[in-house]
Amino acid sequence: MSPQARRDELIAAALDLFGSRAPELVTVDDIIGRAMVSRPLFYRYFSSLRELQVEALRTVTVGLVDGLAGLEEGPPPERLRAAVRGLVDVADHYRAGYVALLRSGSVIATSETDAAIDEVRNRAVELILDALAVTEPSPLLLLTLRCWTAVVEGALLSWLQERTVPRESLDGWLVDQLTAMLSATAAHDPTVPAALTP
């Protein structure tokens, strides 16, 4: 196995474990047990558990940003629904890592991982603005979209762990949440036309 493949294997083992428990509760022994490698081999690729934790979360954020790169053509409402479906699909694909990323808290969080998480959130906001064909959003509209991304994160975290809501209902419900928030924003901000709401 190549060195990069071995590193990837250790990262995958860590992300799998992070999906079921808080990252700070996962030990080196847990990771080497899951990856079926020795402790010396672990330290050949990572100088510490913290280095692996940060690298694992960085891997997830890169995957999320890459996954949010495309957006299909069509009318704004259809593009918005496609964007939300994309968010759900990417989070579902990176389920263990996404859960770990949102649950990482201050124990693993660094300025680097915080910046990576913010990059994902900013990309989600850009995606929605693109779907709505808005090039110059007002401060209140930006605040609305950032609040909505927090709603999405909370909803996805619960859904990924519990699966109590059918997948086919989730994106429509999240779009309806955004529609309600955009309608409220339009009532308070004359620069947000009613036509903006899907």
Side-chain angles (χ1 to χ4, degrees), residues 49-77:
L49 177 59
R50 184 172 182 82
E51 181 187 346
L52 172 59
Q53 291 168 332
V54 171
E55 188 63 31
L57 297 184
R58 186 187 301 116
T59 298
V60 174
T61 57
V62 168
L64 286 166
V65 171
D66 288 348
L68 294 173
L71 186 66
E72 62 187 51
E73 295 300 319

Side-chain angles (χ1 to χ4, degrees), residues 38-121:
S38 66
R39 181 175 282 269
L41 189 63
F42 174 92
Y43 285 108
R44 182 182 304 170
Y45 295 102
F46 297 98
S47 62
S48 66
L49 177 59
R50 184 172 182 82
E51 181 187 346
L52 172 59
Q53 291 168 332
V54 171
E55 188 63 31
L57 297 184
R58 186 187 301 116
T59 298
V60 174
T61 57
V62 168
L64 286 166
V65 171
D66 288 348
L68 294 173
L71 186 66
E72 62 187 51
E73 295 300 319
E78 290 180 18
R79 298 181 77 203
L80 179 58
R81 288 189 182 277
V84 175
R85 275 195 307 275
L87 285 170
V88 175
D89 289 344
V90 169
D92 197 18
H93 180 73
Y94 290 97
R95 182 189 118 17
Y98 189 80
V99 170
L101 191 65
L102 295 184
R103 291 174 57 190
S104 62
S106 60
V107 176
I108 293 174
T110 64
S111 58
E112 186 177 2
T113 57
D114 286 346
I117 293 168
D118 285 341
E119 183 182 357
V120 175
R121 291 171 178 154

Side-chain angles (χ1 to χ4, degrees), residues 122-185:
N122 291 338
R123 178 62 188 133
V125 169
E126 290 170 7
L127 195 67
I128 301 305
L129 288 172
D130 193 20
L132 295 170
V134 174
T135 55
E136 295 183 14
S138 68
L140 192 55
L141 177 57
L142 280 176
L143 182 59
T144 301
L145 295 180
R146 288 174 182 147
C147 288
W148 180 75
T149 61
V151 169
V152 171
E153 285 180 2
L156 287 179
L157 185 58
S158 294
W159 180 74
L160 290 168
Q161 295 176 101
E162 300 163 7
R163 304 280 182 169
T164 53
V165 175
R167 168 67 182 82
E168 57 273 12
S169 303
L170 191 61
D171 28 297
W173 176 74
L174 288 171
V175 169
D176 288 345
Q177 295 285 325
L178 179 57
T179 299
M181 293 176 76
L182 288 171
S183 296
T185 299

